[in-house]
Amino acid sequence: EPEVTQTPSHQVTQMGQEVILRCVPISNHLYFYWYRQILGQKVEFLVSFYNNEISEKSEIFDDQFSVERPDGSNFTLKIRSTKLEDSAMYFCASTSYGYTFGSGTRLTVV
Amino acid sequence: QQPVQSPQAVILREGEDAVINCSSSKALYSVHWYRQKHGEAPVFLMILLKGGEQKGHEKISASFNEKKQQSSLYLTASQLSYSGTYFCGTASSGNTGKLIFGQGTTLQVKP
C-alpha cells in the first residue's frame, strides 16, 4: 500500500534554530498538508498545499513557517526560528479521498 | 471551530460494542474518522459525505446526520486491536479540504 514518508523521525534543535521537516507524499495525490500534535492533544491543522501553492493556512502558520515542493516529489516544512512551544509531532498528509498520514517527525526544541 | 467528541474515554471488554459521537456547530461537507495508536500516525477509517455516501472499514460503520451536523462511529464486537484514540475530522468544503479534528476519544478494549 502506498505510504507517506517523513524524515527525520526525531529532531532535537536549540531554540532559535531553523529546522526543515521533509515529506514524500503519495505520488498521485494532489493535496498535501502539514498538521501538528502536541503530546496527548488533538491534531491541529497548519497548512494545505495544492498546485504548488498554499491553499489554506491556520493562524498557527505564521511568518516563521513556510512550505515548499522543491522538486515535484518532496514536500517540506521549514520553521525559521524555533520556539519551545513548537515542540510537537509534525505529520505530513496527502489525500485523494481520506488522508494518508506519514509516521511523523517528533520535534523537540530545547 | 473544533468538533466535540463524546465520550472522552471508553473501556470495553472484547466483544462489546461502542459508539463515539462527533458534533459540530458548523455546516459540514464531510466527516472523517481516524484511529491513532500510541506513538503512531492517525490511520484513516471512514469518510462520510454530505448526501449519504460513505466509504471505509468493513467492521466499523458510521452515520452522518447533516441537519444536526453530527456523526457517530459504531464499533461492534470490539477486538483488542480496536484500542486507541479515535478522532473525527470535519470539513466544511470539499472532501480534499482541511480537516478540523476533535479532541479524541480514547478506547481501551480489555480481554
Side-chain angles (χ1 to χ4, degrees):
Chain A
E1 191 166 323
E3 288 185 344
V4 174
T5 307
Q6 286 187 245
T7 54
S9 57
H10 192 187
Q11 173 125 22
V12 181
T13 189
Q14 293 215 324
M15 194 167 56
Q17 295 296 304
E18 175 182 287
V19 294
I20 298 176
L21 310 183
R22 291 183 168 80
C23 170
V24 180
I26 294 172
S27 59
N28 62 348
H29 285 182
L30 300 177
Y31 292 81
F32 313 120
Y33 306 86
W34 284 100
Y35 284 79
R36 77 174 186 190
Q37 186 177 34
I38 294 169
L39 187 63
Q41 298 186 23
K42 68 180 172 78
V43 180
E44 295 179 295
F45 170 76
L46 291 178
V47 65
S48 58
F49 194 84
Y50 171 72
N51 202 25
N52 286 322
E53 59 183 26
I54 291 174
S55 52
E56 193 167 1
K57 58 184 180 180
S58 74
E59 55 201 28
I60 301 169
F61 194 89
D62 60 22
D63 292 343
Q64 295 300 313
F65 291 86
S66 62
V67 289
E68 261 192 338
R69 195 149 190 249
D71 57 13
S73 60
N74 291 287
F75 180 47
T76 62
L77 175 69
K78 182 192 290 186
I79 310 175
R80 288 191 185 81
S81 178
T82 50
K83 304 170 192 166
L84 294 175
E85 55 265 35
D86 293 329
S87 294
M89 182 73 92
Y90 287 79
F91 291 108
C92 172
S94 66
T95 184
S96 63
Y97 206 72
Y99 280 30
T100 301
F101 283 90
S103 53
T105 294
R106 179 165 297 284
L107 177 66
T108 304
V109 182
V110 297
Chain B
Q1 280 180 328
Q2 179 187 344
V4 177
Q5 289 183 232
S6 62
Q8 285 191 319
V10 184
I11 300 176
L12 298 175
R13 294 283 179 194
E14 256 187 307
E16 292 182 339
D17 301 340
V19 180
I20 300 171
N21 301 301
C22 175
S23 181
S24 173
S25 58
K26 289 183 71 171
L28 300 177
Y29 180 88
S30 66
V31 179
H32 297 220
W33 286 96
Y34 293 80
R35 176 171 60 215
Q36 185 179 34
K37 293 189 181 276
H38 184 70
E40 298 180 10
V43 173
F44 172 71
L45 295 175
M46 174 153 305
I47 181 171
L48 300 108
L49 300 176
K50 189 175 176 180
E53 183 183 359
Q54 64 180 69
K55 293 190 178 185
H57 203 278
E58 286 182 3
K59 295 191 177 184
I60 296 173
S61 62
S63 63
F64 178 23
N65 185 325
E66 296 163 33
K67 287 183 181 175
K68 292 186 177 180
Q69 291 136 210
Q70 292 175 344
S71 177
S72 294
L73 185 72
Y74 305 97
L75 305 163
T76 55
S78 57
Q79 305 168 14
L80 294 176
S81 61
Y82 284 12
S83 294
T85 301
Y86 289 77
F87 291 97
C88 68
T90 57
S92 298
S93 60
N95 66 332
T96 50
K98 74 175 185 189
L99 292 181
I100 304 297
F101 286 91
Q103 81 278 18
T105 295
T106 302
L107 178 74
Q108 186 180 3
V109 181
K110 294 185 173 182

